[in-house]
Amino acid sequence: MLQAYPFDELMPVINEMFPGTAKYKEQLRQGYDLMLAMRPVPSKKSIRYEVMRTPNSDLGYMGAQDSCFTTTWEVCLGKEVMRGKGVDLSDIEMVSNSFVNMCLQGRYPKEFEQAHRILMQND
């Protein structure tokens, strides 16, 4: 699904979902370019977006379990992205969120090591 959106369409959505990420545009573009060059590995598992509850609170948010992204990028790219009941995220919002989670949590290729290090800095 990532290839359905050019990076320049994803970036404003990413910055809206994760304010301040515009300063990481170069690193995210590198991740995007690397992912587009990969061959997805078909997976029986999916990335399912659900309404998730915050513990000890009535508040909730829409997202996917972190475990959906703790594999190689190729396997993540081969997973079907699904929308659960009550989730009103658009396709581009789900793709943007999945992409950022893959960059942060997925097992990335060696070429992405320096960009990942920058993304993980707390400044």
Side-chain angles (χ1 to χ4, degrees):
M1 219 160 122
L2 183 66
Q3 66 275 16
Y5 300 98
F7 181 79
D8 290 334
E9 285 183 33
L10 292 177
M11 197 60 216
V13 177
I14 292 168
N15 198 49
E16 186 176 316
M17 295 176 89
F18 304 99
T21 52
K23 66 184 175 184
Y24 299 111
K25 184 176 182 177
E26 181 181 323
Q27 291 77 25
L28 293 170
R29 182 180 295 279
Q30 181 186 5
Y32 178 87
D33 292 342
L34 287 168
M35 287 181 201
L36 281 190
M38 293 179 170
R39 176 169 285 146
V41 173
S43 176
K44 292 179 182 177
K45 296 183 179 183
S46 64
I47 298 171
R48 184 173 183 80
Y49 280 83
E50 304 169 331
V51 176
M52 304 172 100
R53 300 284 171 217
T54 304
N56 304 320
S57 173
D58 290 338
L59 300 175
Y61 62 96
M62 288 174 252
Q65 295 290 332
D66 288 346
S67 60
C68 293
F69 305 101
T70 54
T71 187
T72 65
W73 283 5
E74 293 91 344
V75 171
C76 281
L77 291 168
K79 292 182 178 184
E80 181 181 4
V81 178
M82 302 172 69
R83 186 181 289 111
K85 184 180 178 184
V87 173
D88 63 358
L89 294 174
S90 67
D91 286 349
I92 195 169
E93 288 171 325
M94 290 192 304
V95 169
S96 296
N97 184 274
S98 293
F99 167 68
V100 170
N101 280 306
M102 287 171 60
C103 286
L104 297 178
Q105 299 177 54
R107 283 186 277 177
Y108 50 84
K110 188 177 243 179
E111 301 94 326
F112 192 68
E113 178 67 40
Q114 184 174 352
H116 183 262
R117 198 173 302 122
I118 292 168
L119 288 172
M120 299 305 289
Q121 289 176 351
N122 293 326
D123 56 355

